[in-house]
Amino acid sequence: MLTAFMAYKAKDAEMSYDFANVVSEDDVDMQYFQRFKKTFGEDGNVLVVGMQDSKVYKLQNFKELKTLSEELSKVEGVKAVISLPNLVQVVKNTGERKFTTAAIFSPAPETQPQLDSMLQVVRNQGFYDGQIINDKTGATLLAITVEPTYLNSARRVEVMENITAHTDAFSKNTGIKLHYAGLPFVRAVMTTKVAAEMKMFLLLALLVTGVTLFIFFRSFYAVIFPLLVISVVVVWVLGTLSLLGFKISLLTGLIPAILVVIGIPNSTYLLTRYHYDYRKHGNKIMALARVISKIGVVNLVTNTTTAIGFIVFTFTHVAILYEFGVVAGINIFVTFIISLVLIPAVFSYLPPPSPRQLRHLDAKPLNKLLEFFDYIVHRKRHLVYFFTILAVGVSLLGIYKVKTVSYMVDDLPEESSVNADLAFFENHFNGVMPLEVIVDTGVKQGVMRLPNLNKLNRLEDFLRTQPILSAPISVVGLVKTATQAFYGGDPSSYRLPDNTERNFIFSYLAKQNDGANQKLLRSFVDSTGQRARISLKVADVGSRQLDTLIISKIKPELREIYGGEGVTETEDGNTITFKRDDSGSQTTVSLTGTTLLFIKGNEYLINNLRSSLILAFVLVTIVIALLFKSARVVIISLIPNMIPLLIAGGLMGFFNIPLKPSTALIFSIALGIAIDDSIHFLAKYRSELLSNGFNVSRAITTSLTEAGTSMVYTSVILFFGFVIFAFSEFGGTKALGVLMSVSLLIALFTNLIILPTLLMSFDSGKFERDPYALIEHYDEFYLEHEDEELDLNQLKLKVEELTLEEDKKPVNGEVQRV
């Protein structure tokens, strides 16, 4: 009934279409960005469609381009379209002493010479060079502005599909290849891929774990019912998302597949112990009852440590990580409860395992491997320590090489069409990612003062010299265009007016009452005339190069232009305030935009994930300390689980995998999962110490043989389960899959070799038994009072199958008899 309710809620689960803001709302740069959007509007709602083909300048194709522009402007959700056929020029109206705008391609050209003449007019407009047309390479583009309300809803994908339907028809009719870029397009592509990959990974996870379970247990029952149990959990995941009001994002979309992978080991431990116990006495109900009482507690602890690896993300105060941590953490415990209830219940109705199905307990290759590990632990400890120290040393060298870098289009593969198109725009227009510079002159109408315009022009000239920045566009370009129009469109007059010309030209500008002109002006100057906006596009060169550009080049240039003697500077984030000591007047220059906030958000995420890893270590340590109540055991158990994380970090350095949110994510998750093997081994080791008279050597041998089997099973399932993420198209998800699977495979070997080696060297085997400690009840000792509550009608003991040795177990020096 509960699952039916969760399935009912799961139908309301929605995809996330928001661009995740991970920077804190209290951050000074985030606060400034929010103020910028209120003043000038969204900076990341422009889709660009580019082309580089001389055929577009042929009359028939040009008419097709004009038709395309008109059709796109009618698409629901499209706010405006700027393209070559609808460009305008500023002209001087001498009679009314003002400037007006006129369509360049009106009336529409009817002959090729007419078109060529009009195209030359466009090339003479300095304002459009590097914005709509690249005169050097012949490339041109369409800029499509999307309504902000459509960007963050499911309608975004529909808008993109309608746009591409028209552009595909244009490309088919003309044979001109088109390229797409811009944040609306990238986000739409990623959202579609997230939905597709969520389904793919879920099916792959079920397939891989199902095949692995069958290979191990050779029983369809041992495959079908664990998969049904985990399918119930998947329903709960989607239901949880819906109930909590969360949406399916790039991260939360991975949770169903991840829980399939890390949830199946619950069933594997239960079934393996059930088979071991059944083989000892041949009673199905007794074996299942003891599985619950013995393995159940340890599974609870291991699920707790696994959940810790996810729950720590809730302390980051980052929405996407918080949602990921909450949903995964809750459903890990749901997985534990459902597995512990349904697996024994279902198998109590099924026939007991046949000798063929129990054969996996004596699998020779696995037993030989575990015997080899036992030999190494007992005879070659010096080699274990040598290779461990060597691996740690090499890993530390690799970690030193790890770089922290992130990109706006970080998760898509290099061969993706999105990246290929992005390269087109970077080659011809120096990029499409938004970057903004806001200059606050400190006084109303201060922007239009000639000294301030000259400083803006000087800053623009500098920005043009930077190869990763597009041509800037601002009020300076509009004033230059006005000067050019004042002199009859002469290309050489595209400049700021001098003091003599200023009064004439500005008197024309003062009479602007054209709605379109006013709207264009308000895009670059606020309503008070105090703040000016320089809008740029930047190549997706990564956080490191962008930081270098801002810190080492742009900010020093700002100090050169606005600073100097008698000026005091104060810097707050990406905002610099220049205050004149003599007059008290000040100018404030701020760098902002979606690109800067995205890069800063990634740095913020990485710093938070480092804190999460530390917190995970602390919480896991506390759990182990409460479990075993021994400082020595805590230290011994943590060492084998730190080594896989160090090796994963080293591999990142040697294989040039950068540290970014998606790769930093794996460390706390891997720690939470890997520690499970240590807990299972130590719990078994603790019980074997009692049954072997505190003989460490014998306890380790038995623990390796019995606990080692289920450890290998679960680790192999985890390895192949996480490997499937390597088939993702998203670089972050691919790195998560590879690094997680490698880390967990290494953790298996460290827990089967290094952990027992450390116990052999540093554990005396003596400990004071605590009757109230949960871990003391892990062992399979037969205690008569534990069976008192079982239904004796179901417990048909086959006494003839029990030997005296099996009936006797020493407990505190006494022999309990059946």
Side-chain angles (χ1 to χ4, degrees), residues 405-407 426 468 538-546:
V405 64
S406 52
Y407 297 83
E426 289 177 355
I468 63 172
V538 61
D540 192 15
V541 292
S543 54
R544 285 192 163 217
Q545 198 169 338
L546 189 58

Side-chain angles (χ1 to χ4, degrees), residues 198-259:
M198 179 182 172
K199 297 172 186 174
M200 179 187 75
F201 286 139
L202 182 56
L203 292 174
L204 275 177
L206 290 170
L207 178 64
V208 168
T209 51
V211 171
T212 311
L213 283 171
F214 183 76
I215 291 172
F216 287 154
F217 292 104
R218 301 299 173 92
S219 166
F220 285 107
Y221 291 146
V223 175
I224 294 169
F225 292 106
L227 291 183
L228 286 176
V229 166
I230 212 66
S231 298
V232 169
V233 175
V234 171
V235 172
W236 278 68
V237 170
L238 297 176
T240 305
L241 282 167
S242 180
L243 282 172
L244 295 177
F246 300 157
K247 294 185 178 181
I248 300 170
S249 64
L250 183 60
L251 275 183
T252 54
L254 295 176
I255 294 177
I258 287 177
L259 283 186

Side-chain angles (χ1 to χ4, degrees), residues 552-713:
S552 304
K553 295 182 179 179
I554 294 180
K555 286 186 176 180
E557 185 66 21
L558 292 176
R559 294 186 177 95
E560 182 72 23
I561 296 172
Y562 292 98
E565 291 186 22
V567 177
T568 303
E569 297 176 17
T570 55
E571 187 171 344
D572 189 7
N574 283 318
T575 297
I576 306 177
T577 301
F578 303 92
K579 186 174 183 179
R580 295 198 67 84
D581 300 333
D582 52 357
S583 63
S585 63
Q586 66 180 35
T587 301
T588 303
V589 185
S590 303
L591 300 167
T592 188
T594 303
T595 305
L596 282 185
L597 266 293
F598 179 84
I599 298 300
K600 185 167 189 174
N602 276 344
E603 294 172 359
Y604 184 77
L605 273 176
I606 290 171
N607 291 333
N608 274 279
L609 289 170
R610 286 171 181 161
S611 303
S612 299
L613 180 59
I614 295 170
L615 182 60
F617 263 112
V618 172
L619 293 177
V620 166
T621 301
I622 291 172
V623 169
I624 297 175
L626 291 173
L627 197 62
F628 294 100
K629 296 186 177 180
S630 168
R632 182 189 293 116
V633 171
V634 169
I635 296 170
I636 288 175
S637 63
L638 286 177
I639 291 173
N641 294 291
M642 290 172 63
I643 293 170
L645 303 186
L646 292 174
I647 293 175
L651 291 173
M652 288 173 61
F654 287 121
F655 289 95
N656 200 29
I657 301 173
L659 182 66
K660 52 187 178 181
S662 50
T663 51
L665 195 71
I666 68 127
F667 291 99
S668 55
I669 298 176
L671 174 65
I673 298 175
I675 202 74
D676 294 356
D677 280 344
S678 297
I679 292 172
H680 276 284
F681 185 90
L682 288 169
K684 181 64 180 173
Y685 167 72
R686 193 79 170 245
S687 71
E688 290 301 324
L689 281 175
L690 288 172
S691 59
N692 287 284
F694 299 101
N695 186 306
V696 173
S697 179
R698 289 182 195 169
I700 284 176
T701 298
T702 308
S703 300
L704 277 172
T705 303
E706 296 193 16
T709 301
S710 54
M711 287 167 66
V712 170
Y713 286 177

Side-chain angles (χ1 to χ4, degrees), residues 39 49 76 80-81 104 158 176 214 245 256-257 321 346 366 489 504 557 602 737 749 800:
T39 304
V49 182
E76 184 181 1
V81 177
I104 296 175
E158 184 182 348
I176 297 172
F214 183 76
L321 286 181
V346 168
L366 179 57
F504 294 103
E557 185 66 21
N602 276 344
F749 292 106
E800 68 275 11

Side-chain angles (χ1 to χ4, degrees), residues 143-160:
I144 305 167
T145 306
V146 181
E147 290 281 1
T149 53
Y150 284 77
L151 280 178
N152 299 326
S153 71
R155 292 180 295 177
R156 177 204 295 162
V157 176
E158 184 182 348
V159 173
M160 293 302 117

Side-chain angles (χ1 to χ4, degrees), residues 714-771:
T714 55
S715 295
V716 170
I717 290 172
L718 288 168
F719 174 79
F720 285 109
F722 277 105
V723 158
I724 65 174
F725 294 115
F727 296 99
S728 171
E729 285 194 64
F730 295 110
T733 308
K734 185 179 293 187
L736 177 99
V738 172
L739 292 173
M740 277 292 294
S741 55
V742 169
S743 299
L744 295 177
L745 188 63
I746 294 171
L748 170 66
F749 292 106
T750 57
N751 280 300
L752 285 177
I753 299 175
I754 297 175
L755 177 58
T757 299
L758 291 170
L759 291 170
M760 284 286 293
S761 299
F762 300 105
D763 190 37
S764 63
K766 303 292 182 182
F767 66 93
E768 188 173 334
R769 192 176 185 199
D770 183 352

